[in-house]
Amino acid sequence: MIKWIILIALFTLSPSLSAEQGLQALTVTTNADGTQDYSVSLQVLAIMTALSFIPAAVIMMTSFTRIIVVLAILRQAIGLQSTPSNQVLVGMSVFMSIFIMAPIYQQIHEAAIDPYLKEELTSIQALEKAKDPLKTFMLRQTRISDLETFAQIAGLEKLDKPEDAPFIVVIPAFITSELQTAFIIGFMFFIPFLIVDLVVASVLMAMGMMMLSPMIVSLPFKIMLFVLVDGWSLVMGTLAKSFGLGG
């Protein structure tokens, strides 16, 4: 299925080439009595089916998962239930993912897409070439323990090196590692806001103000703290560096 997804991208980038290779959406058959029957090409049917998997691939095989989880934990730590909104968080995650994945796309373009458009590679060869940079990126972010766990579940023998793992094993291992890393980063961001909550709650208890919610009092202090330390720049920089960008 991963090969079909990459193949869709290749055909999308070169519609004229697809037409020249005779990828027809409709086949017309003329019967003996002069009537015509129409049947949808199996190639188009397979491609249209694979389109439904593209959002999952974009979410799970790139940096998107780690970023959106960290931002969601950060919003919860500050105490803002709906600000920034989900649309804003998703938008930030999408454009951060584009920024982080740009070097990987450039490698795929140079190794697979450009030679394919120049007819130097067949579609199957281009798919194999395009898979390598993405697999390398995913393996860099994947813990060996997670990779070994899914390799054992798949019934594979002990791998000599991570690169020997098939793509179908790398994907779930990568997703698991991304979630683990996102929770670790989220925990580190959560601690300062938790300390503010504890201090405010202790002061209110000492003053005998039992009926006043500590969350209401601590919220402006947490926002002020986040702004004073240039929080958004710190968060985005940390996320980018966690993928190896910026040294």
Side-chain angles (χ1 to χ4, degrees):
M1 186 57 64
I2 301 301
K3 293 183 177 180
W4 275 110
I5 293 173
I6 301 176
L7 183 60
I8 294 168
L10 295 177
F11 278 122
T12 303
L13 291 173
S14 180
S16 59
L17 182 59
S18 299
E20 292 175 1
Q21 292 180 344
L23 184 62
Q24 298 178 356
L26 200 63
T27 301
V28 180
T29 303
T30 303
N31 300 322
D33 57 357
T35 60
Q36 292 180 328
D37 294 330
Y38 301 88
S39 60
V40 179
S41 171
L42 291 179
Q43 290 180 325
V44 174
L45 180 61
I47 291 175
M48 295 303 294
T49 302
L51 283 173
S52 61
F53 291 90
I54 292 180
V58 171
I59 291 175
M60 295 301 179
M61 296 171 60
T62 65
S63 58
F64 181 88
T65 299
R66 182 188 303 185
I67 297 172
I68 191 64
V69 171
V70 170
L71 293 181
I73 294 176
L74 176 64
R75 183 176 66 179
Q76 185 69 25
I78 296 177
L80 300 170
Q81 300 301 320
S82 58
T83 304
S85 64
N86 291 332
Q87 291 85 348
V88 173
L89 292 186
V90 171
M92 293 170 62
S93 301
V94 167
F95 284 101
M96 275 293 295
S97 297
I98 294 174
F99 171 73
I100 293 171
M101 298 299 295
I104 310 302
Y105 169 77
Q106 185 63 30
Q107 295 176 24
I108 294 175
H109 181 81
E110 294 176 355
I113 298 177
D114 191 48
Y116 174 77
L117 296 179
K118 294 179 179 178
E119 300 184 2
E120 297 174 358
L121 296 176
T122 64
S123 59
I124 301 300
Q125 292 172 336
L127 290 175
E128 292 298 324
K129 292 287 186 179
K131 185 175 65 175
D132 293 338
L134 184 59
K135 184 178 180 180
T136 301
F137 165 79
M138 295 170 69
L139 286 174
R140 284 203 307 264
Q141 311 301 327
T142 303
R143 291 176 171 80
I144 299 298
S145 59
D146 293 331
L147 192 62
E148 291 177 347
T149 297
F150 284 97
Q152 293 175 0
I153 294 174
L156 300 177
E157 298 179 358
K158 185 175 179 61
L159 301 173
D160 295 332
K161 54 184 179 179
E163 290 77 10
D164 294 337
F167 213 61
I168 195 64
V169 172
V170 174
I171 293 175
F174 169 76
I175 296 171
T176 304
S177 296
E178 284 295 279
L179 290 174
Q180 178 79 355
T181 303
F183 274 76
I184 293 174
I185 298 175
F187 170 79
M188 299 303 296
F189 286 145
F190 208 108
I191 293 300
F193 300 108
L194 179 61
I195 294 175
V196 173
D197 284 333
L198 292 175
V199 171
V200 171
S202 299
V203 171
L204 291 179
M205 288 287 291
M207 296 176 62
M209 304 176 67
M210 306 295 183
M211 302 302 294
L212 183 60
S213 173
M215 295 295 295
I216 298 177
V217 179
S218 64
L219 180 58
F221 290 100
K222 290 189 288 187
I223 294 177
M224 180 181 66
L225 172 65
F226 191 69
V227 172
L228 289 178
V229 300
D230 196 11
W232 287 116
S233 178
L234 178 63
V235 170
M236 296 305 177
T238 301
L239 287 171
K241 291 178 180 178
S242 69
F243 288 97
L245 273 67

